[in-house]
Amino acid sequence: MNGQRTLSLGFSPCPNDTFMFYPLVHGLVDTSGISYRERLEDVETLNRLALAGALDVSKVSYHALGHIRDDYALLRAGSALGRGCGPLLVASRSIDPCDLGSQTIAVPGRYTTALLLLRLFNPGLTNFLVMPFNEIMDAVLRGDADAGLIIHESRFTYQGYGLRKLVDLGEWWEGETGLPIPLGGIVARRSLGGATIAAVERALADGVAFARSHPEQAARYIGEHAQEMSREVCAAHIQLYVNDFSVDLGDEGVRAIHCLMERGERAGIIPVSGAPLFCGEQHP
């Protein structure tokens, strides 16, 4: 790579993303001469931007990855993947999960992993009301939806709204597969070329490791983008979604992603693809 190259970089304003990307976008790690033009959007907006091929590098839901594998390669660093961190289905009243087929469910986007998991959990569900993730709990409380599929910081705050948990989809996934749950990952446009993608991956991995070693440095940046979140919720969010899988997916993380892709394909929710997950890898 000759000279400076600028890449568009999309990630969400959620604390786990701003925490991980702070060192990269502020030049605290070696970026191999690449600079980044950041764009912060909610995850479903990022999914749609990636579907349109509008970003060079981006955070996406693993559900969205299933639709863009031909054009984007997954990076081994930067993922939100783990145990005890899955989406929750909540309601203001007790509803038997077997009776959900007749209920309206508010969901945080058609390409979110949360919706993919819900459809795998119960393929008979079809009555979805799509809205931004931060509006779901209020919609359930108003009665606009019978139940809501919540992600991100809502996991820590739903009980304060008087809502009750109906299904923990992460718990269901782990029980079904024995694997951690893949929620979101970082992708890079394949047309960037192997050398550039490898440089981005190295810098991101170094940035995540730096952030975990210097957690206080990103505090102001995180706070600027999480203004409605308490410091305690921010800390809990980062602790839950940033872990060893965020530095490197490892064999177990890769198995979990392949499992999710295969189940989504078999269910007809995501298209079958012959593209490998990673740049330079042969299709398994």
Side-chain angles (χ1 to χ4, degrees), residues 71-111:
D71 297 315
Y72 283 88
L74 179 65
L75 303 187
R76 294 179 183 272
S79 279
L81 186 149
R83 299 181 185 276
C85 61
L88 304 178
L89 191 65
V90 300
S92 58
R93 58 188 174 86
S94 180
I95 303 174
D96 189 320
C98 297
D99 296 331
L100 288 170
S102 61
Q103 309 296 317
T104 299
I105 303 174
V107 299
R110 294 196 180 279
Y111 296 99

Side-chain angles (χ1 to χ4, degrees), residues 61-63 79-82 85 113-114 116-117 173 177 179-185 249 252-261:
S61 300
Y62 272 110
H63 183 182
S79 279
L81 186 149
C85 61
T113 306
L116 172 58
L117 289 166
W173 169 266
T177 67
L179 294 167
I181 184 169
L183 297 171
L249 287 167
E252 187 180 34
V254 173
R255 286 200 308 273
I257 297 161
H258 279 302
C259 181
L260 184 66
M261 295 295 105

Side-chain angles (χ1 to χ4, degrees), residues 19-255:
F19 176 80
M20 288 193 296
F21 280 105
Y22 178 81
L24 183 67
V25 298
H26 289 86
L28 299 177
V29 293
D30 180 10
T31 63
S32 301
I34 300 172
S35 63
Y36 295 92
R37 185 174 63 254
E38 63 200 289
R39 179 168 178 176
L40 278 69
E41 303 282 359
D42 70 273
V43 68
E44 183 68 355
T45 300
L46 294 173
N47 289 339
R48 292 186 178 278
L49 287 168
L51 283 161
L55 295 168
D56 295 317
V57 182
S58 185
K59 172 73 170 285
V60 296
S61 300
Y62 272 110
H63 183 182
L65 173 65
H67 293 267
I68 61 173
R69 287 175 286 176
D70 290 347
D71 297 315
Y72 283 88
L74 179 65
L75 303 187
R76 294 179 183 272
S79 279
L81 186 149
R83 299 181 185 276
C85 61
L88 304 178
L89 191 65
V90 300
S92 58
R93 58 188 174 86
S94 180
I95 303 174
D96 189 320
C98 297
D99 296 331
L100 288 170
S102 61
Q103 309 296 317
T104 299
I105 303 174
V107 299
R110 294 196 180 279
Y111 296 99
T112 57
T113 306
L115 182 55
L116 172 58
L117 289 166
L118 183 61
R119 294 180 66 188
L120 291 174
F121 169 74
N122 186 341
L125 300 179
T126 58
N127 194 10
F128 302 123
L129 183 61
V130 179
M131 62 181 63
F133 79 92
N134 58 333
E135 297 178 10
I136 288 177
M137 291 192 293
D138 284 333
V140 174
L141 289 171
R142 287 194 306 268
D144 295 342
D146 299 298
L149 186 59
I150 59 171
I151 58 175
H152 301 326
E153 62 269 16
S154 300
R155 182 183 180 91
F156 307 105
T157 59
Y158 74 93
Q159 290 172 314
Y161 283 72
L163 298 173
R164 63 184 70 189
K165 178 175 65 176
L166 303 179
V167 180
D168 184 327
L169 288 170
E171 187 177 276
W172 168 79
W173 169 266
E174 291 173 41
E176 281 277 305
T177 67
L179 294 167
I181 184 169
L183 297 171
I186 312 301
V187 297
R189 195 197 309 274
R190 293 185 188 273
S191 61
L192 294 174
T196 296
I197 291 173
V200 173
E201 186 174 70
R202 284 195 304 271
L204 179 55
D206 289 346
V208 177
F210 182 96
R212 296 180 81 193
S213 299
H214 306 81
E216 72 290 341
Q217 289 205 21
R220 179 179 294 179
Y221 184 68
I222 294 167
E224 289 172 356
H225 297 288
Q227 295 176 3
E228 297 181 6
M229 218 179 297
S230 71
R231 185 172 298 179
E232 292 75 20
V233 170
C234 280
H237 193 115
I238 293 167
Q239 184 176 15
L240 185 63
Y241 295 112
V242 181
N243 51 40
D244 290 344
F245 290 117
S246 305
V247 180
D248 189 294
L249 287 167
D251 292 340
E252 187 180 34
V254 173
R255 286 200 308 273

Side-chain angles (χ1 to χ4, degrees), residues 260-271:
L260 184 66
M261 295 295 105
E262 290 164 3
R263 287 181 176 232
E265 289 175 354
R266 287 202 304 268
I269 301 171
I270 62 174

